[in-house]
Amino acid sequence: MMNKRNESIRTQLLGPLLILLVLQAVVIAGLVLFGGVSIKLKNNEIHILSENTESTKLGLEKETIHHWIVMFNNSDFITDGIQQVLDSEKRRPKDISADYALNRKIVEKVMEKSIEMLHLSQATGVFMVLNGPAAKNSPVEMKAGFYVRNSNSGGYLKDNSSLLMERGLPSIAEKYDIPLDSFWELGFQEDEDNKGFSFYKKPYLMAVQNQAAHDDAMKFAYLSPPFRLSPRDMQVVTYSIPIILDDGTVVGVCGLEINLNQLEQILGEDQTNGSFEECWLLGIRNKGTKTIVPVAYSGYLYNQYFNDSQRISYEDNEEENISELTSSEGTRWYASIRSLDVYGNNGPFEAEEWVLAGIARQKDLLSFYNAIRRMLLGSMAVPLVFSLLGAFVIGKIMTEPIRRLVMELREKSGSRGLSLNRVHIREIDELTETIEQLNRDVERASSKISSILEHANVLIGVFEYEEEADRVFCSRSLFEMLGWGHMEEPYCYIKTVKFKKYMEKTFTGIKIKGERILQCLEGPQGTRWVEFILDGSKKGTILGVCSDVTADVEEKEKLERERNYDLLTDIYNRRAFREQVVAAMKRQKEKVSALVMWDLDNLKYINDTYGHDEGDRYIVLFAGCLKMFSERGGIVARYSGDEFVTFLEADEKDEIRKRIQEFMKHIQKFSLNTVGGYQFPIRVSGGLSWFPDDAEDFDTLFNHADFAMYMVKHSVKGIVKEFDFNEYTHNSYMLAGSEEFNRMLDKKEVRFAFQPIATRQGKIYGYELLMRPDFANMKGISEVLNLARAQAKLPQMEALTWFSGLKAVMTQAMAGQLGSDEKLFINSIASVCLTEAELEELEENYGELLHRIVIELTEGEPASHDFMHRKIDMARQWKGQVAVDDFGTGYNSEAILLRMRPDIIKVDTNLVKRIHEDPNRQIILKSLLDFANQNNITVLAEGVEIPEELEFLMNCGVSLFQGYYIARPQMEIRPLDPYIVKRMQEFSGKT
């Protein structure tokens, strides 16, 4: 018995395994040839061609079609630009077909963004064709528009040096500095055979015939076959879409071009190196046919075999999932053909398919497969028999004891304290002992894990169900979680029939939330949610895991509510409001709606005086009043801290106006009772815009209501004002210039001009630093300050004035243009002041200039006493000076002179103008000079524009002078004109 037990499995296997190892290579050959590997190898070679073709097709689509589609999906600037021109000219869409001047304005409107789209699209050309005359004396059939070609596609040159004008007005080309091509023409004129004009005609006529809507433009996009714009021009392919205005009028076509050279270059870049040579063919076929008309190609094999072919026909090999064709000299080819995603389903041009074919010679493609097949067929016959016999004998000898062990394991599977019989083979008996030890370890581990989970309050239950077994493994926690009873042991096995009954009874009314499968269970402790996960990755076995996710589900439901509702007021937040209103706008038919923005007038005062808790109570009180609208079908939301919005719907506008009037009376009944006993009545201002009269989309409707509310907040508070388009147009710079203004603040860069201030002897006393923003949508610094005031960004403007102004001074000083004693007059906003950190930075960077500073309190803002004294202290600390700017206007009056005690008074331009002819102005100036002499204040006259004014002011005793007659503001510091200096000295000598 002991001898048998000590026999090694290695001894019994050594001889047979040596033979088996020798024959192993032969067996592999047989398996390859007769096990389907050979066929898979061949299919794999063919599949490589298909994959390469698919990859090339995706690359081509990404570079061209898909990229263009993305561009056109974002090209609303064309229709918006046309509509803007029509609105500004008060014209109708049909006027485009007859008015060449209107067409020229449209082209000018969209040209710049069209060129930008050309650079971004990597196409070689961009065009727009309008259904109207090109010029006053042009032929009737010649259409207006433009066609610009880019010789540097993929690059971006700001000076348009890479562009050529193929079609369009010379004035447009001159405006954008685009040279005319040698094939240039004024407009688009049909040729004799009409082939070179189908890129415009087809999408245009199809859109007109189908009465396409504005949003359906991409459905009528058309990819043209190759054509020449002019007889001697290069061949190009265009992607065109009709231009459809919001009212459904089709006014023309716009699109992008790519020439065949560029197209073949893209195909060439996608060449895939492998064990065979490929060539690519891009062509067109009629849907349902097997003939391709070539458009572009790549690869030297195509030149060699198919260069003269006008059409290429093929046949499908369905067994190998590939197409086959034969070249003219008899060579057989494989072809993988893929349709390009050019047109959508049910489109007007879907029958005209664009395809990409990857072509390879059959002998090249299957060269590796044929070599392997020849090698394997020559080495598989006789050795295969020996390998089969050897494997059978060895398997019979060695697998029997292992088989018996496996059967015993199956019979005792799941038993606690597993004990197995020995087979008297050392290695197998050692394996048996190891299995028994592992079984004991698993039992201990299972007990530990169950104990840990129970003590950690993590309720997780598991089960394992096997189809062929008559019992199911279940954990104790599963029973307790699902209410099936109580177990003493950490786990057990129950009969499959009993397990199924438990499951059918427990899991009813399952709810699926996202990818989660949940079951709601009602018990003595209340409602519980159980999530269960099934894993069937192992065939014939299902592993189930159940976990208690009650807290998680309740938290998610809470988060879903918080996602849509404002936590403080329990009404919609801005995200939910937008969703609800957009849905309501889509549903609305034959009714009128209004979007009203509300702004609480007293909230900031309450927050600052009584604290934010009282402010929150004020917000909640007003939100409760707004629910009056929601009870009658309105949509109510809190949009920001003190801003609320409502969306009301009715049959007539007067009905909505009546509701708002009732609401304004309703809120008069409510007041906030503060802790101190003071009552704050609800005061609110509102702005209203009408849908669809004022706007047809949410963003525009919201902006118009916001604008109306803004005008109320800055005029008469406490009312609801309706949107006025004329008022909006007059103040549009506050919206149009916002982006430019914020960009200036972000970059912290702005230019400054220097205007000299002269003494009576014609010497430079100092320079006033005048901000010169480079804005397209705003005129003058006054509009900039208005926008800063509206956006509460006057502090940022103050900081920008100081830092950018002194930076400009340093630049002039380093250039040697600034002397060592001249004063620097800086306009400071009276209602704001620099922060302590900004003052430290200013002193650190520009400390050497601060003793020369003259702080001017600017016109247009009421002076803050605190800020005014801080600025006076700044000037005194720096040993600088303080000046009152624009004296005699706005908020700067005699009272501020008494409070400030300035060093300099700047007399306003309105007082200086024609003063030598106006006795009233002279009286005011005399009083001011008397006050200044008695208080040691220097008087500076600004706005001096003629010599008579200068001479009179000198005679009166004014000390300093500034104005266009002295010198205009310049971006660089320059000396005074000698002639002016001489005149000033002459006037001074007469005084």
Side-chain angles (χ1 to χ4, degrees):
M1 182 71 65
M2 290 299 295
N3 292 335
K4 287 186 178 180
R5 187 174 178 81
N6 290 330
E7 288 179 358
S8 172
I9 192 172
R10 185 181 302 169
T11 304
Q12 296 187 26
L13 287 177
L14 183 58
L17 282 178
L18 288 174
I19 300 172
L20 187 60
L21 289 173
V22 173
L23 300 177
Q24 185 175 5
V26 180
V27 173
I28 293 175
L31 291 174
V32 171
L33 291 175
F34 299 102
V37 177
S38 175
I39 296 174
K40 291 180 180 179
L41 183 61
K42 179 180 180 181
N43 291 338
N44 184 61
E45 293 291 310
I46 295 175
H47 185 63
I48 291 174
L49 177 61
S50 299
E51 284 187 337
N52 291 346
T53 304
E54 182 65 21
S55 176
T56 303
K57 171 214 165 188
L58 295 176
L60 180 62
E61 288 178 340
K62 179 181 178 182
E63 291 290 331
T64 56
I65 305 302
H66 290 179
H67 192 55
W68 296 344
I69 290 175
V70 172
M71 297 300 297
F72 284 123
N73 282 335
N74 293 277
S75 63
D76 288 341
F77 69 87
I78 294 178
T79 54
D80 292 346
I82 295 175
Q83 192 62 52
Q84 290 173 13
V85 172
L86 293 175
D87 293 342
S88 64
E89 297 294 322
K90 298 182 179 180
R91 307 296 295 274
R92 293 175 297 178
K94 68 178 183 179
D95 295 335
I96 294 175
S97 63
D99 191 339
Y100 72 92
L102 179 62
N103 293 337
R104 177 180 57 78
K105 293 179 180 179
I106 291 174
V107 172
E108 290 180 346
K109 181 70 175 177
V110 304
M111 172 63 80
E112 182 174 354
K113 288 191 176 181
S114 297
I115 293 174
E116 182 179 350
M117 182 174 70
L118 171 60
H119 288 304
L120 295 175
S121 67
Q122 299 181 5
T124 60
V126 64
F127 60 86
M128 181 180 75
V129 185
L130 295 173
N131 188 31
K136 181 176 182 180
N137 298 320
S138 63
V140 177
E141 65 275 13
M142 179 172 285
K143 305 298 182 182
F146 64 85
Y147 197 119
V148 177
R149 186 165 288 161
N150 187 4
S151 61
N152 184 28
S153 60
Y156 191 90
L157 300 177
K158 293 184 178 180
D159 57 358
N160 294 335
S161 62
S162 64
L163 304 182
L164 285 175
M165 176 74 79
E166 304 292 334
R167 298 287 187 274
L169 295 172
S171 59
I172 303 297
E174 182 179 359
K175 178 179 179 180
Y176 290 94
D177 199 19
I178 303 175
L180 303 179
D181 197 358
S182 58
F183 305 123
W184 169 83
E185 291 183 15
L186 182 64
F188 297 84
Q189 187 169 3
E190 297 184 34
D191 50 22
E192 295 179 356
D193 56 5
N194 203 26
K195 291 182 178 179
F197 214 58
S198 61
F199 76 100
Y200 160 71
K201 276 291 186 180
K202 281 194 174 183
Y204 174 84
L205 293 177
M206 195 60 67
V208 172
Q209 293 171 6
N210 289 273
Q211 298 180 349
H214 172 70
D215 294 335
D216 295 333
M218 289 304 300
K219 181 179 179 182
F220 298 90
Y222 176 66
L223 185 63
S224 73
F227 69 96
R228 286 183 168 86
L229 195 61
S230 299
R232 293 181 296 168
D233 197 3
M234 66 181 72
Q235 289 199 71
V236 297
V237 172
T238 60
Y239 190 81
S240 314
I241 64 168
I243 303 173
I244 307 174
L245 301 184
D246 291 340
D247 64 352
T249 304
V250 185
V251 298
V253 163
C254 64
L256 296 168
E257 166 216 284
I258 186 170
N259 61 53
L260 290 191
N261 291 337
Q262 182 75 10
L263 197 57
E264 291 177 350
Q265 183 179 355
I266 295 174
L267 286 176
E269 291 175 351
D270 289 328
Q271 292 282 8
T272 304
N273 295 324
S275 59
F276 55 88
E277 296 291 340
E278 301 164 300
C279 56
W280 308 106
L281 168 63
L282 177 65
I284 306 173
R285 71 179 179 191
N286 290 328
K287 193 170 185 179
T289 65
K290 297 180 181 180
T291 300
I292 301 174
V293 178
V295 172
Y297 60 86
S298 175
Y300 77 93
L301 288 177
Y302 188 94
N303 275 332
Q304 184 176 351
Y305 290 92
F306 300 100
N307 192 31
D308 297 328
S309 301
Q310 300 298 321
R311 295 177 178 271
I312 296 178
S313 299
Y314 63 92
E315 295 293 333
D316 291 332
N317 186 338
E318 297 180 358
E319 181 179 353
E320 295 178 350
N321 195 25
I322 198 73
S323 299
E324 297 180 352
L325 56 92
T326 303
S327 56
S328 58
E329 84 292 343
T331 303
R332 296 178 61 81
W333 300 75
Y334 277 131
S336 177
I337 301 173
R338 294 288 187 271
S339 295
L340 271 66
D341 187 12
V342 175
Y343 306 119
N345 294 330
N346 300 321
F349 307 109
E350 64 174 343
E352 191 173 303
E353 289 185 307
W354 283 72
V355 296
L356 177 69
I359 307 173
R361 289 182 294 196
Q362 290 188 11
K363 66 177 183 179
D364 294 339
L365 187 63
L366 302 179
S367 59
F368 178 74
Y369 159 77
N370 292 330
I372 293 295
R373 184 176 180 86
R374 287 192 298 270
M375 179 183 68
L376 294 177
L377 288 175
S379 58
M380 61 171 290
V382 177
L384 180 62
V385 177
F386 290 102
S387 63
L388 292 175
L389 290 175
F392 175 78
V393 173
I394 295 173
K396 186 66 176 177
I397 294 173
M398 296 311 303
T399 58
E400 184 61 26
I402 299 175
R403 186 183 62 80
R404 291 197 300 268
L405 176 61
V406 171
M407 292 179 63
E408 186 177 6
L409 279 172
R410 289 176 178 173
E411 292 175 358
K412 297 182 179 181
S413 175
S415 301
R416 300 178 64 86
L418 180 65
S419 177
L420 302 172
N421 295 322
R422 303 301 187 261
V423 296
H424 308 294
I425 298 177
R426 185 173 61 198
E427 286 80 359
I428 296 180
D429 286 347
E430 289 177 356
L431 175 62
T432 301
E433 294 172 357
T434 303
I435 292 173
E436 293 174 347
Q437 181 62 41
L438 287 173
N439 178 259
R440 291 190 290 271
D441 293 342
V442 169
E443 290 178 356
R444 286 195 295 269
S446 177
S447 298
K448 290 180 180 179
I449 293 174
S450 299
S451 177
I452 291 172
L453 291 177
E454 290 174 359
H455 285 86
N457 293 325
V458 179
L459 202 55
I460 297 177
V462 297
F463 67 87
E464 185 179 35
Y465 173 85
E466 296 181 87
E467 293 180 356
E468 298 180 356
D470 61 349
R471 55 184 181 173
V472 180
F473 171 84
C474 299
S475 66
R476 178 170 58 192
S477 55
L478 182 70
F479 271 69
E480 296 176 354
M481 184 188 308
L482 302 181
W484 290 357
H486 180 71
M487 292 194 313
E488 296 296 333
E489 298 295 332
Y491 61 88
C492 70
Y493 287 85
I494 62 175
K495 293 294 184 181
T496 302
V497 176
K498 185 177 181 181
F499 175 79
K500 290 182 177 179
K501 290 182 179 179
Y502 278 146
M503 296 294 286
E504 291 173 358
K505 179 180 178 181
T506 302
F507 290 100
T508 58
I510 293 175
K511 296 183 178 180
I512 300 178
K513 293 189 176 183
E515 298 180 352
R516 309 176 69 187
I517 303 176
L518 302 178
Q519 173 67 50
C520 181
L521 301 177
E522 300 291 342
Q525 298 179 351
T527 302
R528 290 189 301 114
W529 286 92
V530 176
E531 179 183 15
F532 66 96
I533 302 171
L534 301 178
D535 181 8
S537 58
K538 184 180 178 181
K539 187 175 182 180
T541 301
I542 298 176
L543 179 64
V545 179
C546 294
S547 56
D548 191 324
V549 293
T550 304
D552 182 43
V553 171
E554 291 177 350
E555 181 65 21
K556 287 186 181 295
E557 290 178 348
K558 178 182 177 182
L559 290 175
E560 288 180 1
R561 178 167 182 80
E562 292 176 353
R563 178 173 172 266
N564 291 327
Y565 288 85
D566 179 64
L567 295 180
L568 179 63
T569 60
D570 198 34
I571 59 178
Y572 281 133
N573 57 27
R574 66 167 63 193
R575 191 203 63 79
F577 178 78
R578 183 187 182 94
E579 290 182 354
Q580 295 291 329
V581 171
V582 170
M585 292 166 69
K586 291 181 179 179
R587 293 193 306 266
Q588 178 173 314
K589 293 181 179 179
E590 299 179 357
K591 285 192 174 185
V592 65
S593 300
L595 192 149
V596 187
M597 287 203 66
W598 309 94
D599 187 275
L600 291 172
D601 295 333
N602 297 328
L603 181 61
K604 186 177 186 305
Y605 177 78
I606 295 173
N607 284 334
D608 295 342
T609 307
Y610 297 96
H612 287 274
D613 290 340
E614 292 297 310
D616 289 346
R617 290 182 54 223
Y618 190 60
I619 290 172
V620 172
L621 181 64
F622 179 69
C625 296
L626 281 178
K627 291 179 181 179
M628 167 184 175
F629 289 122
S630 60
E631 292 171 357
R632 300 175 63 179
I635 304 172
V636 180
R638 182 186 179 195
Y639 214 77
S640 63
D642 59 350
E643 291 184 348
F644 294 79
V645 283
T646 57
F647 187 77
L648 308 176
E649 187 177 43
D651 294 327
E652 296 179 353
K653 290 184 179 180
D654 288 340
E655 183 178 347
I656 293 179
R657 293 188 180 106
K658 182 178 179 181
R659 289 189 203 173
I660 295 175
Q661 291 174 359
E662 293 173 353
F663 174 74
M664 297 299 285
K665 293 179 181 179
H666 176 69
I667 63 175
Q668 295 176 4
K669 304 175 184 178
F670 297 89
S671 299
L672 174 68
N673 297 318
T674 63
V675 177
Y678 186 78
Q679 291 186 341
F680 274 99
I682 295 179
R683 292 292 181 266
V684 65
S685 301
L688 179 149
S689 60
W690 296 103
F691 172 81
D693 293 351
D694 292 335
E696 296 184 355
D697 64 277
F698 177 84
D699 291 328
T700 307
L701 190 70
F702 178 86
N703 290 336
H704 287 175
D706 189 23
F707 177 81
M709 184 187 71
Y710 172 81
M711 299 308 295
V712 170
K713 293 289 288 185
H714 290 79
S715 55
V716 182
K717 294 184 179 180
I719 64 172
V720 178
K721 179 179 177 62
E722 296 185 17
F723 173 76
D724 186 337
F725 186 78
N726 292 329
E727 186 178 44
Y728 177 78
T729 303
H730 179 70
N731 295 282
S732 61
Y733 73 88
M734 302 190 73
L735 299 176
S738 178
E739 182 177 353
E740 293 178 311
F741 173 72
N742 290 318
R743 183 163 56 246
M744 179 186 73
L745 294 182
D746 291 341
K747 291 184 177 181
K748 298 180 180 179
E749 291 183 0
V750 65
R751 298 189 304 163
F752 275 82
F754 299 86
Q755 186 171 25
I757 297 172
T759 65
R760 297 172 62 88
Q761 290 75 32
K763 296 182 179 180
I764 297 293
Y765 178 79
Y767 297 93
E768 181 175 3
L769 279 63
L770 301 173
M771 183 181 290
R772 291 292 184 261
D774 187 14
F775 289 159
N777 296 298
M778 287 186 285
K779 301 176 181 178
I781 192 65
S782 60
E783 290 189 356
V784 177
L785 288 173
N786 287 339
L787 186 56
R789 191 177 301 109
Q791 296 188 6
K793 291 183 177 179
L794 287 175
Q796 291 92 321
M797 279 292 295
E798 176 77 357
L800 181 66
T801 300
W802 280 94
F803 285 95
S804 295
L806 292 182
K807 181 180 178 181
V809 171
M810 289 295 291
T811 300
Q812 294 297 312
M814 293 176 65
Q817 302 297 327
L818 181 68
S820 59
D821 299 323
E822 290 93 339
K823 300 295 184 181
L824 304 172
F825 288 70
I826 292 183
N827 291 284
S828 179
I829 302 172
S831 59
V832 296
C833 192
L834 296 176
T835 65
E836 293 296 333
E838 289 171 339
L839 283 173
E840 291 180 3
E841 183 181 354
L842 193 72
E843 292 173 354
E844 179 180 354
N845 294 332
Y846 305 107
E848 60 190 85
L849 298 175
L850 298 182
H851 70 282
R852 302 163 64 176
I853 295 295
V854 179
I855 301 177
E856 296 187 24
L857 293 180
T858 61
E859 166 69 2
E861 287 290 322
S864 165
H865 297 298
D866 181 54
F867 290 156
M868 180 180 69
H869 290 300
R870 285 176 62 185
K871 290 178 181 180
I872 294 173
D873 292 341
M874 284 166 46
R876 304 296 182 246
Q877 181 180 352
W878 295 338
K879 298 182 179 179
Q881 294 178 311
V882 177
V884 175
D885 190 17
D886 299 336
F887 181 80
T889 63
Y891 303 102
N892 297 331
S893 61
E894 289 80 357
I896 200 170
L897 296 180
L898 298 175
R899 291 196 302 270
M900 286 181 55
R901 292 290 180 178
D903 301 292
I904 299 173
I905 297 175
K906 297 188 70 174
V907 181
D908 183 65
T909 302
N910 293 324
L911 184 60
V912 171
K913 187 175 183 179
R914 312 298 296 183
I915 191 170
H916 60 287
E917 300 174 350
D918 189 343
N920 293 327
R921 285 185 168 89
Q922 296 169 10
I923 293 172
I924 296 173
L925 178 63
K926 183 178 182 301
S927 299
L928 177 61
L929 288 170
D930 291 341
F931 177 85
N933 290 333
Q934 294 174 16
N935 291 275
N936 295 321
I937 299 175
T938 302
V939 177
L940 188 160
E942 59 180 350
V944 178
E945 297 186 352
I946 57 177
E948 291 81 2
E949 294 173 350
L950 177 63
E951 184 176 8
F952 180 84
L953 291 168
M954 281 191 173
N955 291 334
C956 291
V958 176
S959 302
L960 300 176
F961 306 92
Q962 178 183 358
Y964 282 3
Y965 182 73
I966 310 298
R968 290 178 175 268
Q970 300 288 340
M971 302 309 296
E972 297 179 354
I973 292 178
R974 296 179 181 177
L976 291 180
D977 187 340
Y979 172 77
I980 299 298
V981 173
K982 182 178 179 181
R983 292 297 304 273
M984 294 184 71
Q985 291 174 349
E986 291 175 355
F987 293 153
S988 178
K990 295 179 182 179
T991 303

